[in-house]
Structures are given as structure tokens and as C-alpha cells.
Short mmCIF file of all heavy atoms in Angstrom, two decimals:
data_model
loop_
_atom_site.label_atom_id
_atom_site.label_comp_id
_atom_site.label_asym_id
_atom_site.label_seq_id
_atom_site.Cartn_x
_atom_site.Cartn_y
_atom_site.Cartn_z
N ASP A 12 121.99 116.44 -80.71
CA ASP A 12 120.79 116.12 -79.96
C ASP A 12 121.08 114.96 -79.00
O ASP A 12 122.21 114.50 -78.88
CB ASP A 12 119.62 115.79 -80.90
CG ASP A 12 119.95 114.63 -81.84
OD1 ASP A 12 120.83 113.80 -81.49
OD2 ASP A 12 119.32 114.52 -82.90
N ARG A 13 120.05 114.44 -78.33
CA ARG A 13 120.25 113.40 -77.33
C ARG A 13 120.78 112.10 -77.93
O ARG A 13 121.43 111.31 -77.24
CB ARG A 13 118.93 113.13 -76.60
CG ARG A 13 118.47 114.31 -75.74
CD ARG A 13 117.17 113.99 -75.04
NE ARG A 13 116.74 115.11 -74.20
CZ ARG A 13 115.62 115.12 -73.50
NH1 ARG A 13 114.79 114.06 -73.54
NH2 ARG A 13 115.30 116.17 -72.76
N SER A 14 120.51 111.90 -79.20
CA SER A 14 121.01 110.69 -79.85
C SER A 14 122.43 110.86 -80.39
O SER A 14 122.99 109.91 -80.94
CB SER A 14 120.07 110.29 -81.00
OG SER A 14 120.05 111.30 -81.99
N GLY A 15 122.98 112.07 -80.24
CA GLY A 15 124.34 112.31 -80.70
C GLY A 15 124.45 112.83 -82.11
O GLY A 15 125.55 113.08 -82.62
N ARG A 16 123.32 112.99 -82.78
CA ARG A 16 123.35 113.50 -84.15
C ARG A 16 123.55 115.01 -84.19
O ARG A 16 123.02 115.72 -83.34
CB ARG A 16 122.05 113.13 -84.88
CG ARG A 16 121.90 111.63 -85.15
CD ARG A 16 120.57 111.32 -85.82
NE ARG A 16 119.44 111.72 -84.97
CZ ARG A 16 118.18 111.51 -85.29
NH1 ARG A 16 117.86 110.95 -86.46
NH2 ARG A 16 117.21 111.88 -84.46
N ILE A 17 124.27 115.46 -85.19
CA ILE A 17 124.52 116.90 -85.35
C ILE A 17 123.23 117.58 -85.82
O ILE A 17 122.56 117.08 -86.73
CB ILE A 17 125.65 117.16 -86.36
CG1 ILE A 17 126.97 116.59 -85.82
CG2 ILE A 17 125.79 118.65 -86.63
CD1 ILE A 17 128.12 116.73 -86.79
N ARG A 18 122.91 118.68 -85.19
CA ARG A 18 121.72 119.43 -85.58
C ARG A 18 122.04 120.91 -85.63
O ARG A 18 123.00 121.38 -85.00
CB ARG A 18 120.60 119.20 -84.56
CG ARG A 18 120.94 119.67 -83.16
CD ARG A 18 119.79 119.49 -82.19
NE ARG A 18 120.14 119.92 -80.85
CZ ARG A 18 120.10 121.19 -80.44
NH1 ARG A 18 119.74 122.14 -81.28
NH2 ARG A 18 120.41 121.50 -79.19
N ALA A 19 121.27 121.64 -86.40
CA ALA A 19 121.45 123.09 -86.50
C ALA A 19 120.71 123.78 -85.36
O ALA A 19 119.61 123.36 -84.98
CB ALA A 19 120.91 123.60 -87.84
N LYS A 20 121.32 124.80 -84.79
CA LYS A 20 120.68 125.58 -83.74
C LYS A 20 119.97 126.76 -84.39
O LYS A 20 120.61 127.73 -84.81
CB LYS A 20 121.72 126.08 -82.73
CG LYS A 20 122.47 124.99 -82.00
CD LYS A 20 123.49 125.62 -81.06
CE LYS A 20 124.33 124.59 -80.34
NZ LYS A 20 125.38 125.23 -79.49
N LYS A 21 118.66 126.67 -84.48
CA LYS A 21 117.88 127.70 -85.18
C LYS A 21 118.09 129.08 -84.57
O LYS A 21 118.25 130.07 -85.29
CB LYS A 21 116.40 127.34 -85.14
CG LYS A 21 115.52 128.33 -85.89
CD LYS A 21 114.06 127.91 -85.84
CE LYS A 21 113.18 128.92 -86.56
NZ LYS A 21 111.73 128.54 -86.50
N ALA A 22 118.12 129.16 -83.24
CA ALA A 22 118.26 130.45 -82.57
C ALA A 22 119.60 131.10 -82.90
O ALA A 22 119.68 132.33 -83.10
CB ALA A 22 118.12 130.27 -81.06
N VAL A 23 120.65 130.29 -83.00
CA VAL A 23 121.98 130.83 -83.31
C VAL A 23 122.03 131.31 -84.75
O VAL A 23 122.60 132.37 -85.06
CB VAL A 23 123.07 129.79 -83.03
CG1 VAL A 23 124.45 130.33 -83.43
CG2 VAL A 23 123.08 129.38 -81.56
N TRP A 24 121.43 130.54 -85.66
CA TRP A 24 121.39 130.97 -87.06
C TRP A 24 120.63 132.30 -87.20
O TRP A 24 121.02 133.17 -87.98
CB TRP A 24 120.72 129.90 -87.92
CG TRP A 24 121.63 128.77 -88.29
CD1 TRP A 24 121.59 127.49 -87.82
CD2 TRP A 24 122.73 128.82 -89.21
NE1 TRP A 24 122.60 126.74 -88.37
CE2 TRP A 24 123.32 127.53 -89.23
CE3 TRP A 24 123.29 129.82 -90.00
CZ2 TRP A 24 124.42 127.22 -90.01
CZ3 TRP A 24 124.40 129.51 -90.79
CH2 TRP A 24 124.95 128.23 -90.80
N LEU A 25 119.55 132.45 -86.45
CA LEU A 25 118.81 133.71 -86.47
C LEU A 25 119.65 134.86 -85.94
O LEU A 25 119.60 135.98 -86.46
CB LEU A 25 117.52 133.57 -85.66
CG LEU A 25 116.36 132.86 -86.34
CD1 LEU A 25 115.20 132.65 -85.35
CD2 LEU A 25 115.88 133.64 -87.56
N THR A 26 120.42 134.58 -84.89
CA THR A 26 121.30 135.62 -84.35
C THR A 26 122.31 136.08 -85.40
O THR A 26 122.53 137.28 -85.58
CB THR A 26 122.05 135.10 -83.10
OG1 THR A 26 121.10 134.84 -82.06
CG2 THR A 26 123.05 136.14 -82.61
N TRP A 27 122.91 135.12 -86.11
CA TRP A 27 123.88 135.48 -87.14
C TRP A 27 123.20 136.22 -88.30
O TRP A 27 123.81 137.12 -88.91
CB TRP A 27 124.60 134.24 -87.64
CG TRP A 27 125.72 133.82 -86.73
CD1 TRP A 27 125.80 132.68 -85.99
CD2 TRP A 27 126.91 134.56 -86.45
NE1 TRP A 27 126.96 132.66 -85.25
CE2 TRP A 27 127.67 133.80 -85.52
CE3 TRP A 27 127.42 135.78 -86.88
CZ2 TRP A 27 128.89 134.22 -85.02
CZ3 TRP A 27 128.65 136.21 -86.38
CH2 TRP A 27 129.37 135.45 -85.48
N ALA A 28 121.96 135.86 -88.60
CA ALA A 28 121.23 136.59 -89.64
C ALA A 28 121.03 138.04 -89.23
O ALA A 28 121.16 138.98 -90.05
CB ALA A 28 119.88 135.92 -89.91
N LYS A 29 120.76 138.27 -87.95
CA LYS A 29 120.59 139.63 -87.44
C LYS A 29 121.93 140.38 -87.44
O LYS A 29 121.97 141.59 -87.67
CB LYS A 29 119.98 139.59 -86.04
CG LYS A 29 118.55 139.08 -86.02
CD LYS A 29 118.07 138.74 -84.63
CE LYS A 29 116.71 138.04 -84.67
NZ LYS A 29 116.26 137.60 -83.33
N VAL A 30 123.01 139.66 -87.19
CA VAL A 30 124.34 140.27 -87.25
C VAL A 30 124.63 140.73 -88.68
O VAL A 30 125.18 141.84 -88.89
CB VAL A 30 125.42 139.27 -86.78
CG1 VAL A 30 126.82 139.77 -87.14
CG2 VAL A 30 125.32 139.06 -85.27
N VAL A 31 124.27 139.91 -89.66
CA VAL A 31 124.45 140.30 -91.07
C VAL A 31 123.68 141.57 -91.37
O VAL A 31 124.19 142.50 -92.01
CB VAL A 31 124.00 139.16 -92.01
CG1 VAL A 31 123.98 139.64 -93.47
CG2 VAL A 31 124.93 137.96 -91.87
N VAL A 32 122.44 141.64 -90.91
CA VAL A 32 121.61 142.85 -91.12
C VAL A 32 122.26 144.05 -90.45
O VAL A 32 122.29 145.15 -91.01
CB VAL A 32 120.19 142.62 -90.56
CG1 VAL A 32 119.40 143.94 -90.53
CG2 VAL A 32 119.45 141.59 -91.41
N ALA A 33 122.80 143.86 -89.24
CA ALA A 33 123.45 144.95 -88.52
C ALA A 33 124.71 145.44 -89.23
O ALA A 33 125.10 146.60 -89.08
CB ALA A 33 123.79 144.50 -87.10
N CYS A 34 125.32 144.57 -90.01
CA CYS A 34 126.54 144.95 -90.73
C CYS A 34 126.27 145.72 -92.02
O CYS A 34 127.18 146.35 -92.57
CB CYS A 34 127.37 143.70 -91.05
SG CYS A 34 128.16 142.92 -89.64
N LEU A 35 125.04 145.69 -92.50
CA LEU A 35 124.72 146.29 -93.81
C LEU A 35 125.04 147.78 -93.90
O LEU A 35 125.55 148.25 -94.93
CB LEU A 35 123.24 146.05 -94.14
CG LEU A 35 122.85 144.59 -94.41
CD1 LEU A 35 121.35 144.50 -94.70
CD2 LEU A 35 123.64 144.01 -95.57
N PRO A 36 124.74 148.61 -92.87
CA PRO A 36 125.02 150.04 -93.03
C PRO A 36 126.50 150.39 -93.07
O PRO A 36 126.88 151.42 -93.63
CB PRO A 36 124.37 150.66 -91.77
CG PRO A 36 123.41 149.64 -91.28
CD PRO A 36 124.02 148.32 -91.62
#
């Protein structure tokens, strides 16, 4: 973030969650 602290990118985590779902079949 602007203060230099590490933060999680919610949108990217959601994308990877969707990738996991896409891999299930």
C-alpha cells in the first residue's frame, strides 16, 4: 500500500479461486 506495508490483493485471490474451480473437472 502507500505506506509500504504488504497487503493481499483481493481481486487476484478471487481470480486464483476461480482458476481452482476451473481445474476441478
